[in-house]
Amino acid sequence: MAAAEPRKRRPKGQFAEEAGRAKRPRGGGGGGGRQLEAGMRGILITCNMNERKCVGEAYSLLGEYGDLLYGPEQFSDHEEQERLSGSKREEDEDDIEAALKKEVGQIRASTEQKLRRFQSVESGANNVIFIRTLGIEPENLVHHILKDMHTTKKLKTRVIRRMLPISGTCKAFLEDMKKYTETFFEPWFKAPNKGTFQIVYKARNNSHASREEVIKELAGIVSSLNPENKVDLNNPQYTIVVEIIKNVCGLSVVRDYVLFRKYNLQEVVKSNKDNTQQNPSCQAEEQNSRVVKPETEEENSKEVKQENKDQGESEAEPKGNDVLTV
């Protein structure tokens, strides 16, 4: 009777390689295996075709300013262990079962350490990346970056176009958005707080959200928090950013939206001479938008104006998904 052939050991690190080949969700965004989902906070970034380079630029830029504002990021002991030689880690492996257990433990540790200050996830749309943030305020960080670039006129990126903070996310259904924003808007608009505002709306890969309904309902919620909150389409104190991708709605309330050229990194560094060629009123009018005025008790009709396409946004954002402003 022929002797059974000895079992062959699998090559070192093969378990980790196979885990890395696990099927990842599609849909663009240069993410690392996770998808954008309700409950996340972070920064939405648009680019022109080169998502991989965009992710690299985003990590570099956010890391630079993140360290300035929040101090250097602290890493866990697991990362130091990961830097050890692969051969040293596997010296004591006796069989496949022991190797498998060790690989699983390392994968779990790797997952834990990847919960970093900045982490790219799948956005769900082409030419759009989403950087999830932990332990920071996205709107403060992005405002600081744009303020510095606006002051120095120094362009630090090549493929990043717009950088929008996403301070909160919820399901992209009208009832979910209404319920979520009733508390989300309070820090800016609930009495005694007040301010002038506009709403900028963008939807990607989503067909069930009605832009007019969303604008109308969110504007109504802002007004209900304090009747002194007023719409200003020329130079508002606050801009409410609504970014919908598939079934996720990202929200933020930002300052200096007009001054910082709609949070466009390529435009904000242009000289004052270039900027003064267009006054704030013209900048608001040339948005790729419809203008929708919220209904009031004295006024039951709404005025809708169809504006010209914004050439500055047409390259990175597909046609047909207009930006709406209130």
Side-chain angles (χ1 to χ4, degrees):
M1 183 174 180
E5 294 184 2
R7 298 176 66 183
K8 296 181 179 180
R9 267 187 87 181
R10 302 177 75 176
K12 296 179 180 180
Q14 184 171 348
F15 298 107
E17 289 180 10
E18 290 177 354
R21 295 192 196 109
K23 187 176 181 180
R24 295 177 178 177
R26 298 180 180 179
R34 289 198 62 185
Q35 292 191 70
L36 172 63
E37 58 189 25
M40 287 185 176
R41 306 173 77 229
I43 300 167
L44 186 147
I45 301 172
T46 65
C47 62
N48 281 331
M49 304 306 295
N50 197 335
E51 293 178 7
R52 183 184 295 273
K53 188 171 183 179
C54 183
V55 171
E57 284 189 352
Y59 278 144
S60 176
L61 187 67
L62 296 174
E64 174 187 347
Y65 285 92
D67 287 351
L68 288 174
L69 290 180
Y70 304 101
E73 187 173 7
Q74 301 297 321
F75 301 106
S76 66
D77 294 337
H78 292 298
E79 177 162 289
E80 298 299 325
Q81 295 175 5
E82 283 293 311
R83 293 175 184 172
L84 297 175
S85 161
S87 59
K88 184 177 180 180
R89 291 199 308 265
E90 295 181 356
E91 282 179 355
D92 298 328
E93 292 177 357
D94 297 326
D95 52 31
I96 293 177
E97 185 177 358
L100 178 58
K101 289 181 179 179
K102 194 163 189 175
E103 294 287 354
V104 169
Q106 290 171 355
I107 291 171
R108 287 177 178 173
S110 177
T111 301
E112 291 176 0
Q113 51 181 295
K114 284 181 180 178
L115 298 178
R116 303 274 177 80
R117 180 179 288 171
F118 305 110
Q119 180 66 51
S120 174
V121 301
E122 296 283 350
S123 70
N126 292 328
N127 299 326
V128 178
I129 69 170
F130 188 86
I131 305 295
R132 184 191 60 196
T133 59
L134 292 175
I136 68 168
E137 296 295 331
E139 63 274 15
N140 292 339
L141 176 60
V142 174
H143 188 273
H144 183 84
I145 293 172
L146 285 158
K147 182 179 180 181
D148 184 59
M149 295 179 68
H150 180 264
T151 301
T152 63
K153 303 301 179 187
K154 182 178 180 181
L155 182 62
K156 296 189 175 184
T157 63
R158 299 185 65 181
V159 300
I160 292 177
R161 298 190 73 252
R162 300 179 72 203
M163 180 175 281
L164 297 170
I166 301 297
S167 302
T169 51
C170 63
K171 291 291 184 181
F173 298 97
L174 187 58
E175 291 303 316
D176 293 271
M177 287 185 274
K178 288 167 59 178
K179 183 177 180 180
Y180 184 79
T181 54
E182 285 174 356
T183 55
F184 178 79
F185 288 154
E186 288 183 354
W188 300 275
F189 300 114
K190 185 176 181 179
N193 298 324
K194 63 180 180 179
T196 58
F197 71 97
Q198 66 174 351
I199 299 176
V200 180
Y201 176 101
K202 179 72 179 178
R204 299 176 176 87
N205 300 334
N206 178 291
S207 59
H208 64 261
S210 167
R211 50 177 64 89
E212 286 83 3
E213 280 190 285
V214 172
I215 293 278
K216 174 184 173 182
E217 294 294 340
L218 297 190
I221 290 171
V222 173
S223 298
S224 69
L225 291 173
N226 188 340
E228 295 187 27
N229 294 321
K230 302 297 181 183
V231 173
D232 184 346
L233 303 181
N234 295 328
N235 193 22
Q237 184 178 357
Y238 300 113
T239 295
I240 298 171
V241 175
V242 182
E243 288 281 341
I244 295 177
I245 302 179
K246 292 186 175 179
N247 66 339
V248 178
C249 173
L251 294 157
S252 63
V253 179
V254 301
R255 297 166 289 150
D256 300 317
Y257 188 76
V258 175
L259 177 65
F260 292 160
R261 308 299 293 273
K262 294 182 273 189
Y263 278 43
N264 188 315
L265 272 60
Q266 304 293 324
E267 298 292 327
V268 76
V269 297
K270 290 185 177 180
S271 67
N272 291 332
K273 182 178 179 180
D274 294 334
N275 289 342
T276 54
Q277 291 178 357
Q278 294 178 317
N279 59 40
S281 177
C282 292
Q283 291 179 10
E285 288 178 357
E286 71 179 12
Q287 290 185 20
N288 175 13
S289 65
R290 297 177 185 176
V291 177
V292 183
K293 298 183 74 173
E295 292 184 353
T296 63
E297 294 180 0
E298 297 82 9
E299 190 176 33
N300 293 323
S301 61
K302 61 184 178 181
E303 179 183 1
V304 180
K305 300 178 182 179
Q306 179 66 46
E307 302 292 334
N308 292 330
K309 296 290 290 180
D310 179 2
Q311 297 178 355
E313 294 183 358
S314 60
E315 294 179 1
E317 297 175 356
K319 297 180 179 179
N321 286 323
D322 294 338
V323 177
L324 297 181
T325 308
V326 167

